[in-house]
Amino acid sequence: MQFELSNKKLNSIKADFELVFIQNKNLKKFSKEKDFFKLNNFQGEGVLLDTRNQKLFTELKSLSYEDIRLSLCNAYKNLEKLNIKSIKMPSIIGDCVVRSFISLTEGILFGAYKFDKYKSEKKANTLKKIIISSEELNGKKFNLDEAKLGLERGQILANATNFTKDIVNEIPEIYTPLKMAEDAKKLAKENKNITCKIYDEKFLEKEKMNAFLAVNRASIHPPRLIHLSYKAKNSKKRIVFVGKGLTYDSGGLSLKPSDFMLTMKADKSGAAAAMGIIKAVSELNLDLEVHCILGATENMIGGNAYKPDDVLISREGVSIEVRNTDAEGRLVLADCLSYAQDLKPDLLIDMATLTGACVVGLGEYTSAIMGNNEGLQNEFYLSSKKSGEYTTILHFNPHLKELIKSNIADVSNTASSRYGGAITAGLFLDKFIRKEYKDKWLHLDIAGPAYVEKAWGYSSFGASGAGVRMCVNFLIHLLRKSK
């Protein structure tokens, strides 16, 4: 998709179609279209296509960034069906020019996203060019350099998010741990400022990552620990992301019911998001040092599968009683978090589709933020709101720690009660965070929005790329704060 910012007024720009925005259902200024609106019973809601005059009237509920995204996504979805090559539109400016243009771009590129690789009939789309006039919707003047920055940043964020979606949507037959390793190497090859190191099962054995290895034991596909890194010349902070990369999760011997096993190709969403984040960071050339540690494996069944009642000794030396093999993601993360802390991060963030309890508690569209540092959690939450992703904070409760106590090991991988399951999973991970990093760590449970089997907002069926925009937005926030 090509975006072009034009100095010309809207009426002077040549394009196949024009986008006309209806704000607050206000139709008073559209006197020429009065009869057309009446004929189509158009009240300013949704969209109305006028093919005779080559216009699409689309509702813009407000100038909030989220409403800008939604309006542009809805407009694109209607225009992509037409045999047109270009559209023109006025600039839409909310509180911030840069964020407004980011939102505009994201709305269109998210609307354009499809995962139709396995469809025998693919719908062709001729629309390739979006021309945005410097004439602002409400007649205000704005900084064109900020607009250009917003367009550039919006494309980078949307493309990184869509890149993540492609990984999550890919089927488990194709997307094995080795495939994730291949994609990581390819990402580093395409982005010269990213380096990639891949470690096999022998390395995991040497590092005593026994929890990670146990999860992989019954799979025919070997595990991989993937380390992606990016370092700017003038890096201000070292940030380490840890991503759960379960390329498929059957539940292991604690086998999932068939209905719950469906969509488990999305259990790699945390690792996929980490890859999307470092892709965006590299293309934005942020003054940071960023590392991504991805634990890629499958959780399958077999004669050599790890079992309920096993006790595993993790890389941190913490012993784990296995009471449910379907609580496997936290085992992989435990060893990956241990490895990540050796990098001495200024900030440590793990992302995982960790618990169904999080989806029950928050719904399908909201990620949970957990950790020990309430100030850091609040800061991340406020930043995430501007990114377009929905989050909320789940605070740790010391009484819930009692639920993951074990009689025969240091900790149990499942709680003794089903209540508070998202938080007890977070508290389990906390057992593997060293004292010096307790206040520098955030746990993001993205189980809800990572993969939803229906379109919602400007997210299509399937993967949403959860985690990418909110984390990159937070990194930009940290850089601003450090100036």
Side-chain angles (χ1 to χ4, degrees), residues 61 96 191 250 325 336 367 405 420 433 443 468:
K61 292 181 180 178
C96 170
N191 296 267
S250 70
T325 64
C336 288
S367 296
K405 281 188 173 179
I433 304 297
H443 162 55
V468 175

Side-chain angles (χ1 to χ4, degrees), residues 58-203:
T58 182
E59 180 183 12
L60 180 62
K61 292 181 180 178
S62 76
L63 293 177
S64 73
Y65 307 126
E66 197 70 347
D67 282 339
I68 292 172
R69 291 185 190 97
L70 285 166
S71 182
L72 268 297
C73 178
N74 290 335
Y76 185 90
K77 287 291 187 186
N78 281 272
L79 289 173
E80 71 174 348
K81 302 168 187 175
L82 305 179
N83 186 26
I84 59 174
K85 294 181 180 179
S86 63
I87 60 173
K88 63 179 181 179
M89 57 172 286
S91 297
I92 306 172
I93 311 296
D95 291 337
C96 170
V97 174
V98 175
R99 287 192 183 277
S100 297
F101 274 86
I102 288 173
S103 302
L104 180 157
T105 311
E106 287 177 340
I108 291 171
L109 291 178
F110 291 153
Y113 178 80
K114 290 184 182 70
F115 186 78
D116 57 1
K117 180 179 177 180
Y118 298 103
K119 290 275 190 180
S120 55
E121 293 184 14
K122 296 176 177 61
K123 294 178 182 178
N125 178 18
T126 59
L127 182 52
K128 302 296 179 187
K129 192 173 185 180
I130 314 295
I131 307 168
I132 306 161
S133 171
S134 58
E135 183 180 351
E136 202 265 329
L137 189 64
N138 289 328
K140 297 177 184 177
K141 290 184 178 180
F142 61 92
N143 188 305
L144 285 176
D145 289 336
E146 290 182 352
K148 290 174 184 175
L149 176 62
L151 278 178
E152 179 187 1
R153 191 171 286 178
Q155 289 176 80
I156 289 171
L157 287 169
N159 289 335
T161 303
N162 288 343
F163 165 83
T164 300
K165 291 178 189 177
D166 281 344
I167 293 173
V168 177
N169 283 326
E170 187 55 272
I171 62 174
E173 179 186 1
I174 301 295
Y175 217 91
T176 63
L178 293 179
K179 171 62 173 166
M180 181 169 278
E182 283 176 21
D183 278 1
K185 285 188 280 189
K186 184 181 177 184
L187 180 63
K189 188 176 180 180
E190 292 172 352
N191 296 267
K192 300 302 180 185
N193 49 5
I194 296 176
T195 58
C196 178
K197 293 180 181 178
I198 308 294
Y199 299 105
D200 63 13
E201 57 272 30
K202 291 179 181 177
F203 177 85

